[in-house]
Amino acid sequence: MQATTVNIIVGSHVWVEDRDTAWVDGEVTKVNGEKIEVQTTSGKKVVANLSNVYPKDTEAPPAGVDDMTKLSYLHEPGVLQNLATRYELNEIYTYTGNILIAVNPFRRLPHLYDTHMMEQYKGATFGELSPHVFAVADAAYRAMINEGKSNSILVSGESGAGKTETTKMLMRYLAYMGGRAATEGRTVEQQVLESNPVLEAFGNAKTVRNNNSSRFGKFVELQFDKTGRISGAAVRTYLLERSRVCQLSDPERNYHCFYLLCAAPPEDIKRYKLGNPKSFHYLNQTNCYELDGVSDAEEYLNTRKAMDIVGISPEEQDSIFRVVAAILHLGNINFTKGKEVDSSMPKDDKSRFHLEMAAELLMCNVQGLENALCKRVMVTREETIIKSLDPDAATTNRDALAKTIYSRMFDWIVEKINNSIGQDPDSKNLIGVLDIYGFESFKANSFEQFCINFTNEKLQQHFNQHVFKMEQEEYTKEEINWSYIEFVDNQDVLDLIEKKPGGIIALLDEACMFPKSTHETFTQKLYQTFNNHKRFSKPKLSRTDFTIVHYAGDVTYQADLFLDKNKDYVVAEHQDLLNASKCPFVAGLFPPLPEESSKSSKFSSIGTRFKQQLQSLMETLSSTEPHYIRCVKPNNILKPAIFENQNVIQQLRCGGVLEAIRISCAGYPTRRTFDEFLDRFGLLAPEVLEGNYDEMTACEKLLEKKGLKGFQIGKTKVFLRAGQMAELDARRAEVISNAAKVIQRQIRTYIARKEFVALRKAATHLQTLWRGKLARKLYEEIKREAAAIKIQKNVRGYHARKTYTKLRLSAIVVQAALRAMAARNEFRFRKQTKAAIIIQAQWRGHRSYSYYKSMKRAGLSVQCAWRSKVARKELRKLKMAARETGALKEAKDKLEKKVEELTWRLQLEKRLRTDLEEAKAQDIAKLQLSLQAMQVQLDEANATLVKEREAARKAIEDAPPVIKEMPVVVVDTEKVDLLTNENEELKTLLKSQEKRADEAERKCAEVQELSEERLKKMEEAESKIDQLQESFQRLEEKLSNLESENQVLRQQALVMSPTKGLSGRSKTAVIQRSPENGHLLNGEIKATASPVPALKDAAEAEQRPQKALNDRQQENQDALIKCIMQDIGFSGGRPVAASIIYKSLFHWRSFEAERTNVFDRIIQIIGSAIETQENNDVLAYWLSNTSTLLLLLQRTLKASGAAGMTPQRRRSSSATLFGRMAQGFRTSPSGTGLSFSNGGMIGGLDALRQIEAKYPALLFKQQLTAYVEKIYGMIRDNLKKEISPLLGLCIQAPRTSRASLVRGSARSHANAAAQQALIGHWQSIVKSLSNFLKTLRANYVPPFLVRKVYTQIFSFINVQLFNSLLLRRECCSFSNGEYVKAGLAELEHWCYEATEEYVGTAWDELKHIRQAVGFLVIHQKPKKSLDEITHDLCPVLSIQQLYRISTMYWDDKYGTHSVAPDVIASMRVLMTEDSNNALSNSFLLDDDSSIPFSVDDISKSMNQIDLSEIEPPPLIRQNSAFNFLLPRAE
C-alpha cells in the first residue's frame, strides 16, 4: 500500500511512521514540496515525505467500526487504530469484509461464549450482529445446509494468539447447532479438544518467538449427515517438521515429549535408562531445556491422563514412550572408522550402551540394529552387495531412522485419536477447522522456516483468491463494472519455490542426489538460476544466504543445513529390522512393504514430500467454501490491556490482512451507502439535494459536478477508487472552512458592532457624568453666594441685638439696685416680728409635750398589764398548736418514706393522699378557729383601744391646748404576724408535699403504661406463637394427607394386577356394582369358595340387572362425551363444559370409584381438541374450562384418610406430570364455594361436604393440571411466535437519508408516511396483544392466568429487545433510542387501556430496555458520574451491560459523545475485579419459559363459582338421565 500524495495541506490530520508505535497521528503545520512538517499528538515535530503519510479520518466513531471496510480510509494505520480502539473497549472481534480478526484479550470473557450468545447468533445474517466467532461458525453451517457444500474455517496466527481457544469456540458452536448427543458422556467437541494435549506433547516445540509452537498443521473435520446433525469427526495432520527430531537451532527446543519423558517419575526414568536432557545429543544442541512457568513433570502426568482420555491404553502408552526413549538413545550413538576401509562402528562403550538400550527399547536384535546403521544392502540383478558406511553416512543413516520412527509414531497417535472419536464414512458434508503454523521470520532462518513460509504462501494465494472472489461478488451484487481490476497474486513466488523443473525445491532435490554437492554449490546454482528474478535476491556479505520477497516481507535464509535437512532415506534394512521387532507397537509402525519397494534403499526428499502434503491440503481446502479467522496476539508478555502496535502490525502482515486490504485498494476500497454518502458530502452540492432526485441520481450528479473519474454507482452503494475519498474530504473540508470563515466574519462583525455600541454607550455615560459635574459646580457657587448673604444678615442682626442688650442690662442694673434697697428694709422689719412669734411657739409646745409624755406613760402601763394577761393566755394556745404542728411534720416524713418505697402501689398512695388531705383540712380548721379566736381577741383589743382613744381624746380635749395628740402602737400585733407567717410556711410545705405526691403519681402512671406495653408485646408474641403452632399443625396435617394419598396410590398399584386377574375369571368372582351408576363399590371383590352350580346361577341372575345398569351408565357417559366435544360456550361468564362435567361426575360418584374409564375419555377429548396449536380461540376455550374444572376438583377432592385443611401456597419446580403429582396431593380443599340446588348438594360453602377421592380421581386431577400448564404454554408461545418477527423490526429504526428530507415540500407527505410506517411495527405488536386479550376475555380465561401470560410476554419483549440492543452497535444510537422509546410509549399506553386486572405489573418487566433506552436519549452523558448512572439512571443494569452500552453508543443526530473516559475506566476496573463470576460477566438476559403458577395459586386467585343457575346444553337437556343438571324451580 502506498500513501496518498494529494490533498495534504496545512491543517490536515495525517498518520506518520514512528519507530516506537509504528504510526502516530498529528497535524500538518508546513508543506514544502514533497516534504511536510507534522506536529504529532505525542508532542514531537516530524518531517516526513509526502508519499509516506496517510490521511486520518477525524470523524471516525470513537469506539471504532465493527467492519473495517466501513473505514473512510482503508490503510495500515487506520486498521491498526481501529483494532486498538476496539481492543481497549474489550471488543476483541472485528470484521474485514467476511474475514474475522480476533485479538487475544488474555482474560476470561465467559459472557461472550455462553448459550445465550449462541442462541442470538443462531440463524442471524452474517454482519447483522456484532463481530463474533459464532457468526463465522454459523455462516459456515448455514452455507453447508443451504448449498449442500462442505465448508472450511482457516484459523491462523502465532502461538499465544488464541487459535486453540478460537477452534474450541468454533467446535462448541457447531456441536450446539449439530446437536449430536454425547458419546459415553463426552461430546464430539470434547473428544476433539481432549486430543489437543496429546498432539501438543508430540507435535509442539519451543521456537524463537513462541514457547508452544505447533510444528504441524491440524485440520479438524466435523462430519454431518443429511439432516445437519453431527455424525462423526476426524483430525487430519499435515506437514510435521521431521527434521526437528535430529537438528535444532539455539535457543529452540525439540518436541515437548522428549523433555516430559526426562522429567518422568523415577521408576519410568529407571525403566527407560534416561537422565538429564543435557546428556542427549538430540536435546543438547541448544542451551534451552526448560520453559518459564512450565513444569515438565506435571505436564508428563497430564499427558498421560490425556492419553487415557482419548483411548490409548496403558500398554500402548508404555510402547509410545519406549519409542521416544529409544530415539533419544539413538541420538547418542556416535560412530568412528571401522577396521575396514570406509566402514564404521560405535565409537566407544558409551555409544554401545546407548545402542543396546535402543535395541532393548525397540525390542530388536542389537547386532541387527548395528548392521542397519553401519551397513547398506544393495540389490542388483546378479547379486546382493553389502556396503559399509563411513561414520558420516552412518550418522545420516541414524538420523533418518530416528525421523522415520518419530513421524510414523505421530501418525499412529493421530489415527488412534480418530478411531476414538469415531468417523462417518457415509458423510458427504463436513466443516473443517484448520489450525496451522503462521509465517515465520527470525534472525536465522533455515529449511524449516523455508517450508513453513512456503505453506503460508500457498495459503495466502488461496486467501487472496477468496478475497478477490468476495470483491467480485460484491461488485456483481452491486452491478458495477470490475473487469479492469487487476488481481494481486503471489504465483511468481510459488513458481520460484515449487516449479518443476527449475524451482528451489527441485534444485535442492537435485543437489541432494549428487554426493559431492554442498550448500555452497547449491546456493551458487540458485544465484545463477534466479539472478534476474524480482522475488529473489542475494545478500551482499554472504555467499550461502539467499533472500525471498514473501507477501509478509523479505526473509533471508541460511542454506548451510538445507541439504542435510532435506535428505530422508527409506532404508529397507530399517524396515526389515523394526518389522521383526518383538514389540507389537513397533512392528505395527513398520508393516511389510511390497516386494518391488523393499529391495533397496531409496532417496526421499522431505521438501518434495512436504510439497505433496501441502498440495493435498490445498485440494481439500479448494473443495470447500473457506472462511477465515486471523488471530492476533496483542503483546508478547501475554498480559491483558496491552496493545503493542509493532507486534500487531507484523502479525497483520504475516496473517495476510494487509494483503487483503491491498487487494481491496486495487479495486474500490471506499464504499458508502447512498444515504451515508449524501449525509457526509451533500454539502458539496446543496443544489443537488434541493432538486427532486432520487438518492442514486443525487450521488452521481454530486460526483460528476466535482469532476471525479473512475467511481462506480451500484444498486445501494457508491464505490470510490483509492484517493477519491481523501479528495472529497479535502473539498468538504474546504467548504466547511469557507463556511467557518463566513461564520467567523459574521461573528467578528457582531463583536465589532457590539464593541461600538458599548463604546457609544460609554461616551454618552461620560458626557452625562461631566455635565452633571458642571451643574453641581454651578449649583455650589449659587449656594455659596446665598449663604454669604445669609451670614451677612445674621452678623448685622447680631451686632444690633448686642447693642440693644447692653443698653437694656444697664437699665435693669439700676432698677435692681433701687429695688434691693427697698427689699432689705422690708426684710429687716419682718425678721424682727418673726423671731418673737417663734419664741412664743416653742414655749407653748414644750409645755404641751411635757403633759403628753406623762399621760402616755400612764396609758402604756395600763395597756402592758392587760396585754400581758391576754398574751399569756394566747401563748398557751399557741404552744398547743405548735405541738400539733410537730405531729404534722412527723406524718409528712412518714408520707415521704412511703412514697419512696411504695411508688408502684398507686391505690395505697391515693389512700395516704386522702388521709393527708383530711389531716390538712383538720389542721386548717384548727388554725382557722385559732385565727378566729385571735381575731375576736384582736377585735376586743381594738374595741378597748377605741374606748381608750375616746377617753384619751376626751382627756386631751379637757387638757390645756398646748398638749399634742400622739398615736398609740399596739405591741401584740407582732405575735399575730409571727403566727401568720408560720401558718404560711406550713401551707407552703403542704403544697410541696402535694407536688411530690403528684410527681409520684405521674411516675407510677408511667410505670403502669410501660408494664401495659410489655404486656401487649407478650400477648402479640403469644399470638404469633399460636399462629406458628397452627401453621405447623396444618403442615403436619398436609404431610399426613400426602402420606395417606401416597399409601392409597401404592395400595391401588398393588391391587390393580390381582384385580385384573380376578376380573378375567368370572366363574370365581362376582363384582358388585352400585345399582345407580354401575361403578365398583369400595373395590370389594367377593370370591366364592367353589363353583357350585347353584351359586353360579345365582350370580348370573344377579349380573343381568347389573349389566343393564352398566349399559345405561355407558350411554350416559357417551352422551356427556358427545356434548363436551362441541363448543357449548359459556353461561354468565362460567364455562358450561366444566360445569356439566363436574356435576355429572359428582352425581355419578365417579370420584369415589376404584375403577372407571370416564376420566380417561375426558382427557382424550381435551388432548384431541388442542392438537391444533395455532387456533388460539380453541386453546383459550379449553384453558378456561380446564382451569375451572381443576379449581372445582382442588376445592372438593381430598385423599382417603386425610382431614381437610386450608391450602398453603407452595410452588413446585417439577414440570412433568409425575413431578406434579406430589404437589397436587399435598393440599385438600377447605370448601368449594359452590352452590348447587340439587344432586345431593345444597347452596353455601359450609354445607358442602368433601369427597374421599380414589386413585382414578386423583390421577385425573394431575392430568388436568398438566393440561392446564400445557395449554397455557401453547398460548404464550403462540403469542411469542407472532410478535417475534416484529421485534426484530422494532429494535432498529431505518435510517432516513438527510438528503431525502430536504428536497422540498413535495416530500413532506412521503416523510409523514415513512414515519407512520416506522411506528407501524410497534402498532402491529400492540394489535397482536389486543387481539390475544380479546380472545382470552371472550373465552372468560381467569384474569390471573391472563396476567401471567402478559407478564411473561413482556419479559420476552424485554429480553429480545435488550439483547438485540447489546449485540448491534447500530442500535445503540441516539435516534434509535428515541425510536424505541416512542414504541415503548405505545406499549405503555396499551397497558393503561388494558387495565391492571388483565395486565397486572407486566409493564415493570420492561425495566431493562426502558432504562437502556433512557440512557441512550439523555443529554450531557460525559457529565454523568458512575454513581449517578448506576444508582439513578440505570439501577437495574449490571456493570457489564452499562459498559457494553457506553462503549457502543454513538450519536447520529447531534454528534455528542458517550460517558467520560474515567467512567469507562472505572467500569473496566469493576468488571476486572468481578471477572471470576461467570454470571455477573454475562450481559445478555435469559428468557424464562417456565410455568409461573401452581394449582394453589389458581385456587387462591379465582373467586367462588356458582354452578346452580347454569343451563345445560340442549343435547343433554332432553335426556332424562341428566335431570339433575336442571335448575330447580323456586
Side-chain angles (χ1 to χ4, degrees), residues 698-943:
C699 293
E700 187 174 3
K701 287 187 174 295
L702 191 152
L703 290 169
E704 290 175 352
K705 183 177 180 180
K706 295 305 171 184
L708 295 183
K709 304 295 182 182
F711 65 88
Q712 292 278 0
I713 302 294
K715 295 174 66 177
T716 61
K717 297 178 183 177
V718 176
F719 292 81
L720 301 178
R721 301 284 288 179
Q724 290 183 340
M725 188 73 174
E727 183 176 353
L728 287 174
D729 272 338
R731 297 187 182 183
R732 178 174 178 268
E734 183 179 356
V735 172
I736 293 176
S737 176
N738 293 334
K741 291 177 182 177
V742 173
I743 295 173
Q744 290 173 354
R745 183 169 65 246
Q746 295 295 331
I747 290 295
R748 287 169 182 161
T749 301
Y750 169 75
I751 293 174
R753 176 170 177 76
K754 186 177 180 181
E755 290 178 352
F756 166 73
V757 173
L759 287 173
R760 185 175 65 183
K761 184 177 181 180
T764 304
H765 186 61
L766 286 175
Q767 291 173 354
T768 302
L769 293 177
W770 181 249
R771 289 169 182 159
K773 184 177 180 181
L774 292 177
R776 286 190 294 274
K777 187 175 181 181
L778 179 61
Y779 169 76
E780 193 68 27
E781 291 178 355
I782 295 172
K783 184 178 179 181
R784 287 171 62 86
E785 182 179 356
I789 295 172
K790 191 172 183 178
I791 290 171
Q792 292 173 0
K793 179 183 66 177
N794 290 330
V795 169
R796 290 175 183 144
Y798 169 73
H799 286 297
R801 283 192 298 276
K802 186 176 180 181
T803 303
Y804 167 74
T805 303
K806 187 176 181 180
L807 180 60
R808 180 171 173 270
L809 288 175
S810 299
I812 291 171
V813 168
V814 174
Q815 291 175 354
L818 293 175
R819 290 171 181 164
M821 184 175 67
R824 282 193 293 274
N825 293 333
E826 180 68 22
F827 173 71
R828 195 179 300 113
F829 171 74
R830 290 185 179 183
K831 186 176 180 181
Q832 291 175 358
T833 304
K834 187 175 181 180
I837 294 171
I838 289 173
I839 293 171
Q840 292 174 357
Q842 288 295 329
W843 167 249
R844 291 172 183 160
H846 173 68
R847 189 174 56 185
S848 297
Y849 183 69
S850 297
Y851 177 75
Y852 165 73
K853 286 179 67 178
S854 61
M855 293 299 293
K856 182 179 178 182
R857 282 194 294 270
L860 287 175
S861 297
V862 175
Q863 289 176 354
C864 286
W866 174 252
R867 288 172 180 164
S868 296
K869 180 180 178 182
V870 173
R872 281 192 294 271
K873 185 186 293 184
E874 193 65 31
L875 181 60
R876 285 193 295 270
K877 293 180 180 180
L878 289 176
K879 284 181 179 181
M880 292 176 66
R883 283 195 294 269
E884 292 176 357
T885 304
L888 183 61
K889 289 181 178 179
E890 290 177 1
K892 178 198 71 175
D893 295 335
K894 291 180 181 180
L895 181 60
E896 289 178 352
K897 292 179 181 179
K898 289 182 179 180
V899 168
E900 293 174 356
E901 294 175 356
L902 304 174
T903 53
W904 60 275
R905 298 174 60 181
L906 181 61
Q907 297 300 327
L908 181 59
E909 196 278 334
K910 287 182 177 180
R911 288 197 300 270
L912 291 176
R913 181 178 179 185
T914 303
D915 297 340
L916 181 63
E917 289 178 354
E918 292 176 356
K920 179 185 69 174
Q922 292 176 0
D923 293 340
I924 292 174
K926 291 179 180 179
L927 291 174
Q928 288 178 349
L929 292 174
S930 301
L931 184 60
Q932 291 176 358
M934 293 176 65
Q935 187 67 35
V936 171
Q937 295 176 0
L938 183 60
D939 293 338
E940 292 177 353
N942 289 335

Side-chain angles (χ1 to χ4, degrees), residues 88 118 154 494 599 834 884 1090 1167 1398:
E88 184 181 357
M118 288 192 284
L154 284 71
L494 297 176
K599 292 181 179 180
K834 187 175 181 180
E884 292 176 357
S1090 62
Y1398 293 100

Side-chain angles (χ1 to χ4, degrees), residues 483 790 1253 1393:
S483 58
K790 191 172 183 178
E1393 290 184 343

